[in-house]
């Protein structure tokens, strides 16, 4: 059994930010806290992004606290640029991230107010856990009738290899999803595919004009409201709309971003709507987003009846020893930085209160001094 004050689960933006702030308040990496990451290398989910997502096309990448990302070639893949940046960050602050480590479950240890973190590399006992597992490992695949009958290929954004793959070149491609990834995929694939079709459940909303700090706060507050109510969080992008860049404008004018309503079923060779109309397809690309990776927290019973985990700041209402960063309103690079700082502030207070309680209990249990009678 390994004993530490804090276990950080995940070494993406939120996990590294949390580790930085833990170190800054005086906790020693590898001694007082440990960072466990299941990915094979530094970079969080960025290391798995498709090669055509270059650093120059990344929208809203904020630097980690304490170390700027400078001099990056905008033409290099974001997976390489950000992977190298995260690796340098881990070295600079000696965060001693352990990887690859899979966290199987987190439960109450049953002693000393501790949490038990069961992993592929042994068990850890901790006074607090900062969960920073993100969403990449839980792609959302909608279920529609006929999926098993479709003879073409089905891929998710999590598996997207780039537009030059055999699944897209010269093929009839249906892209499902109304987010930024779907738009990026469509604009790339349209250049090599025989034809493309864009399908979404709701009409997409394009945002024209500047998106400043005030608009950002308003968008985050909408996501935050759902989390406070214990509902599953929506992505920040879902409430901000799609940015109307010049490339997006051209794609709309050319018909690439002509939206069609969601189909009712898949057929052997395409898609079919409720009115019986059909469209042929060789490949269906599900750009349908991701869900939070939180199944390992199930033994703690943190979920509310609405299906989400209710938070006060980053702290789980049902168990103040657990903090979620990069979840809901903090699921952005700048939000993850702020959430890491906020979580560490609360964790530090929790550790101080635990130390005071332990000292008081030891004092109460100490034998009374002997009294001399003369």
């Amino acid at each position: 059994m390994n004993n530490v004050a804090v276990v950080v689960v995940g070494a993406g933006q939120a996990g590294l930010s949390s580790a930085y702030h833990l170190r800054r308040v005086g906790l020693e990496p590898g001694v007082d806290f440990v960072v466990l990451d299941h990915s094979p290398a530094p970079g969080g989910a960025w290391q798995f992004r498709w090669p055509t997502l270059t650093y120059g096309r990344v929208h809203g990448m904020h630097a980690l606290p304490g170390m700027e990302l400078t001099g990056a070639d905008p033409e290099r893949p974001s997976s390489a640029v950000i992977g190298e940046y995260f690796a340098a960050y881990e070295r600079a602050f000696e965060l001693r991230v352990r990887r690859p480590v899979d966290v199987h479950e987190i439960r109450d240890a049953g002693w000393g107010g501790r949490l038990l973190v069961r992993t592929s590399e042994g068990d850890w006992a901790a006074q607090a856990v900062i969960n920073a597992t993100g969403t990449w490992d839980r792609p959302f695949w909608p279920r529609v009738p006929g999926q098993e009958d479709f003879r073409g290929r089905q891929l998710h954004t999590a598996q997207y290899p780039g537009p030059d793959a055999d699944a897209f070149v010269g093929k009839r491609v249906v892209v499902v999803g109304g987010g930024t990834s779907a738009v990026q995929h469509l604009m790339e694939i349209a250049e090599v595919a025989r034809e493309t079709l864009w399908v979404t459940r709701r009409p997409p909303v394009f945002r024209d004009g500047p998106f400043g700090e005030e608009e950002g706060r308003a968008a985050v507050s909408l996501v935050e409201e759902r989390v406070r109510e214990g509902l599953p969080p929506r992505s920040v992008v879902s409430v901000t709309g799609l940015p109307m860049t010049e490339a997006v404008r051209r794609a709309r004018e050319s018909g690439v971003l002509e939206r069609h309503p969601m189909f009712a079923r898949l057929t052997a060779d395409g898609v079919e709507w409720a009115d019986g109309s059909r469209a042929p397809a060789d490949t269906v690309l599900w750009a349908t987003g991701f869900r939070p990776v939180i199944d390992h927290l199930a033994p703690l019973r943190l979920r509310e009846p609405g299906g989400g985990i209710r938070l006060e700041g980053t702290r789980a209402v049902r168990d103040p020893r657990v903090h979620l960063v990069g979840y809901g309103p903090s699921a952005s690079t700048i939000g993850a930085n702020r959430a890491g700082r906020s979580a560490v502030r609360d964790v530090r207070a929790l550790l101080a209160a635990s130390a005071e309680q332990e000292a008081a209990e030891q004092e109460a249990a100490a034998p009374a001094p002997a009294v001399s009678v003369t």
Side-chain angles (χ1 to χ4, degrees):
M1 178 72 69
N2 302 287
N3 286 282
V4 290
V6 186
V7 170
V8 179
V9 185
Q13 185 99 13
L16 293 182
S17 172
S18 301
Y20 169 86
H21 288 291
L22 285 169
R23 192 177 186 277
R24 197 174 183 191
V25 299
L27 299 184
E28 184 178 347
V31 177
D32 301 311
F33 74 90
V34 65
V35 183
L36 307 177
D37 188 32
H38 90 113
S39 296
W46 290 101
Q47 65 193 277
F48 306 113
R49 304 290 201 219
W50 49 99
T52 49
L53 182 61
T54 58
Y55 182 65
R57 298 178 64 188
V58 170
H59 176 66
M61 170 65 193
H62 290 268
L64 287 158
M67 181 175 162
E68 293 294 323
L69 171 53
T70 59
D73 182 352
E75 298 304 315
R76 292 187 67 207
S78 59
S79 57
V81 171
I82 298 175
E84 291 168 6
Y85 170 52
F86 279 20
Y89 190 88
E90 292 178 18
R91 290 193 301 270
F93 295 104
E94 299 178 340
L95 297 180
R96 299 174 61 180
V97 177
R98 294 181 176 231
R99 62 168 60 89
V101 178
D102 296 322
V103 174
H104 300 314
E105 66 173 20
I106 300 176
R107 61 173 59 250
D108 188 88
W111 55 272
R114 296 266 175 159
L115 292 165
L116 179 63
V117 182
R118 295 193 179 278
T119 83
S120 58
E121 299 296 321
D123 297 343
W124 298 81
Q127 293 171 267
V129 166
I130 298 178
N131 191 79
T133 45
T135 62
W136 185 260
D137 293 318
R138 197 182 169 203
F140 174 61
W141 291 76
R143 300 300 303 168
V144 297
Q147 274 178 303
E148 296 79 10
D149 301 324
F150 181 61
R151 292 196 295 257
R153 295 188 61 180
Q154 296 184 62
L155 299 171
H156 190 277
T157 291
Q159 306 160 316
Y160 180 61
D164 297 328
D166 291 341
F168 308 121
V169 177
K171 302 296 196 301
R172 297 165 299 187
V173 182
V174 175
V175 177
V176 184
T180 305
S181 293
V183 170
Q184 291 177 346
H185 296 337
L186 270 162
M187 291 192 298
E188 290 186 336
I189 294 169
E191 297 183 4
V192 299
R194 176 178 172 184
E195 60 185 48
T196 61
L197 187 72
W198 187 25
V199 174
T200 71
R201 291 194 179 279
R202 291 178 293 274
V205 176
F206 289 90
R207 185 186 74 245
D208 207 345
F211 189 78
E213 187 174 336
E214 183 177 343
E215 291 83 1
R217 282 198 301 266
V220 169
S221 69
L222 293 175
V223 181
E224 205 166 36
E225 184 177 340
R226 287 181 60 86
V227 172
R228 283 197 302 266
E229 294 174 357
L231 298 172
R234 294 174 63 189
S235 69
V236 174
V237 172
S238 71
V239 295
T240 62
L242 296 163
M244 180 63 78
T245 64
E246 187 56 38
V248 169
R249 197 183 307 277
R250 290 195 302 269
R252 293 190 76 188
E253 292 171 353
S254 68
V256 169
L257 293 181
E258 179 185 352
R259 175 260 178 184
H260 299 266
M262 184 62 189
F263 49 82
R265 62 187 62 83
L266 281 168
T267 64
D269 56 3
V271 298
E272 180 179 331
W273 285 267
D275 64 2
S277 58
R278 294 188 173 197
D282 303 302
T283 302
V284 175
L285 176 58
W286 299 93
T288 45
F290 300 79
R291 297 294 183 266
V293 179
I294 53 177
D295 287 350
H296 55 286
L297 299 174
L300 296 174
R301 301 182 182 277
L302 302 179
R303 288 185 187 268
E304 300 292 334
I309 297 177
R310 189 156 60 97
L311 303 181
E312 290 181 355
T314 63
R315 184 175 64 251
V317 170
R318 290 179 177 261
D319 194 326
R321 298 171 296 179
V322 179
H323 286 257
L324 276 72
V325 293
Y327 175 87
S330 63
S332 65
T333 54
I334 189 169
N337 284 356
R338 293 170 177 168
R341 182 174 63 247
S342 174
V344 169
R345 184 172 58 246
D346 283 358
V347 165
R348 189 184 188 187
L350 173 71
L351 297 178
S354 297
E356 289 180 6
Q357 181 179 352
E358 184 176 341
E361 290 173 352
Q362 289 176 352
E363 183 178 350
V371 178
S372 176
V373 178
T374 59

